[in-house]
Amino acid sequence: IEGVRFDTSLPSNPLDLYYIPYSHSLLATILWSGGTYMLLRQFAQRWFTHFEAAVIALVVASHWVADILVHRPDLLIWNDVKIGLGLWNYPVLSMLLELGCVAAGLVFLLSRPAFHYRTKRRMLIFGLILLALQLSTLVIPPPLTIPSLTWTGLLFFIGLPLLAFTMVDRKERKQTSQ
């Protein structure tokens, strides 16, 4: 459906994402975010208020905005207009940005007074797992075939949210309901 090539001469990230209109275009981002909001409100309204669903939808959209910083010009705006500032071409800067985003999110969550101390401890552990995974990309070579990229992506894009839910969110909701 989308087009990706591997170019190991590229610094930091060997992905040449030459055709990604379904996962990384502006229109797709709007649809992904709107779909996220509607799914949460339709099937998970018991767990998420309108506000929480809207915040999660905005987080989905923020991924595309953050991608503008690191992607090479491959993010589709409309027709053939693509943008991307290309921080992937500067491995140290892109790694610092990725680590900084995870660390900033972790600091923000840990500073929230509403969370139980056990939840904060689980958040800290999950955040350290995310930081370790990001750092592991310095020593573990990236997948260089379409099937391995697909399976790795599915593992992380499904596995990490499930891990976050089971480690942190489910237990936080259980503690606050008691």
Side-chain angles (χ1 to χ4, degrees), residues 109-121:
L109 285 172
L110 293 176
S111 70
R112 311 309 313 152
F115 291 119
H116 191 276
Y117 77 92
R118 285 189 218 132
T119 300
K120 288 185 178 188
R121 187 175 59 217

Side-chain angles (χ1 to χ4, degrees), residues 41-175:
R41 292 306 302 148
Q42 182 66 34
F43 299 108
Q45 60 185 334
R46 174 177 166 203
W47 299 289
F48 297 102
T49 65
H50 284 288
F51 177 76
E52 291 169 330
V55 168
I56 292 168
L58 287 173
V59 168
V60 170
S62 75
H63 177 98
W64 190 80
V65 174
D67 274 351
I68 292 171
L69 298 173
V70 293
H71 274 245
R72 298 169 187 100
D74 55 21
L75 300 170
L76 184 64
I77 298 280
W78 194 257
N79 290 336
D80 289 333
V81 178
K82 295 180 180 180
I83 62 171
L85 298 177
L87 271 183
W88 278 340
N89 293 330
Y90 306 94
V92 173
L93 282 176
S94 65
M95 179 58 73
L96 289 174
L97 177 66
E98 299 272 357
L99 292 170
C101 285
V102 173
L106 185 58
V107 168
F108 173 77
L109 285 172
L110 293 176
S111 70
R112 311 309 313 152
F115 291 119
H116 191 276
Y117 77 92
R118 285 189 218 132
T119 300
K120 288 185 178 188
R121 187 175 59 217
R122 288 190 298 271
M123 284 179 185
L124 177 62
I125 292 167
F126 183 74
L128 292 174
I129 290 169
L130 291 178
L131 290 170
L133 286 170
Q134 185 63 41
L135 285 169
S136 75
T137 64
L138 295 172
V139 293
I140 299 172
L144 292 177
T145 66
I146 298 297
S148 63
L149 178 66
T150 302
W151 286 110
T152 303
L154 285 173
L155 172 69
F156 286 106
F157 292 132
I158 294 171
L160 286 174
L162 287 174
L163 180 62
F165 176 73
T166 56
M167 269 184 77
V168 180
D169 193 58
R170 181 174 57 93
K171 292 180 180 177
E172 170 65 17
R173 290 178 189 276
K174 190 175 183 182
Q175 285 174 343

Side-chain angles (χ1 to χ4, degrees), residues 19 32-33 74 107 159:
Y19 183 71
W32 285 118
S33 298
D74 55 21
V107 168

